[in-house]
Amino acid sequence: MLVETKIVGRRTPFERKPFDLPAGPHTLRSLLTHLVAGEVAAYEERQGSVGVLRVLTEQELLSGAAAGKIQLAPQERGGVVTPEEATRTALRAFEDGLYYVFVDDEQVETLDETVALQPDSTLLLLRLTALAGG
């Protein structure tokens, strides 16, 4: 499955990442839970390299330039994040309408809705932004 993220109102391109999901039927709630767990694990891995002098390779520079974003490891440690806490936040944000979810161009509107996924499915997380003064 391919996961795309986009923030409405920003000119930044979609971020696209492949994501392996366990087999079986999924609800939006279980799908988001798996995604958040993966993101928390990646965050913890990045935190492990904080404070370590890291030099980018030529290939990393070229890849970053092609993607329009060259990233270094964080310079300071962030706070502790648990998968449970992050999942609660993500689910609450969905329920509060802060982002929409689309699977293969079909909007998923409730957390307990069953999501039909294929190996080549695309999941789009579309974050909304408030209008100034609105």
Side-chain angles (χ1 to χ4, degrees), residues 57-102:
T57 66
E58 185 175 347
Q59 180 57 42
E60 289 172 322
L61 286 170
L62 291 172
S63 296
K69 183 177 182 183
I70 297 175
Q71 276 186 289
L72 296 174
Q75 300 303 309
E76 296 179 9
R77 290 196 185 277
V80 175
V81 177
T82 65
E84 297 80 17
E85 177 186 347
T87 299
R88 274 193 305 275
T89 300
L91 296 176
R92 187 176 324 114
F94 177 82
E95 289 175 327
D96 289 347
L98 298 179
Y99 67 95
Y100 292 147
V101 177
F102 296 84

Side-chain angles (χ1 to χ4, degrees), residues 21-111:
L21 192 64
H26 292 280
T27 62
L28 180 57
R29 183 183 310 273
S30 68
L31 182 60
L32 292 174
T33 299
H34 287 293
L35 285 171
V36 169
E39 289 300 313
V40 169
Y43 170 79
E44 289 172 350
E45 185 177 318
R46 287 190 306 272
Q47 290 300 302
S49 65
V50 170
V52 175
L53 178 61
R54 185 171 179 287
V55 178
L56 295 176
T57 66
E58 185 175 347
Q59 180 57 42
E60 289 172 322
L61 286 170
L62 291 172
S63 296
K69 183 177 182 183
I70 297 175
Q71 276 186 289
L72 296 174
Q75 300 303 309
E76 296 179 9
R77 290 196 185 277
V80 175
V81 177
T82 65
E84 297 80 17
E85 177 186 347
T87 299
R88 274 193 305 275
T89 300
L91 296 176
R92 187 176 324 114
F94 177 82
E95 289 175 327
D96 289 347
L98 298 179
Y99 67 95
Y100 292 147
V101 177
F102 296 84
V103 175
D104 296 328
D105 297 326
E106 294 292 324
Q107 186 173 359
V108 182
E109 297 184 10
T110 64
L111 288 172

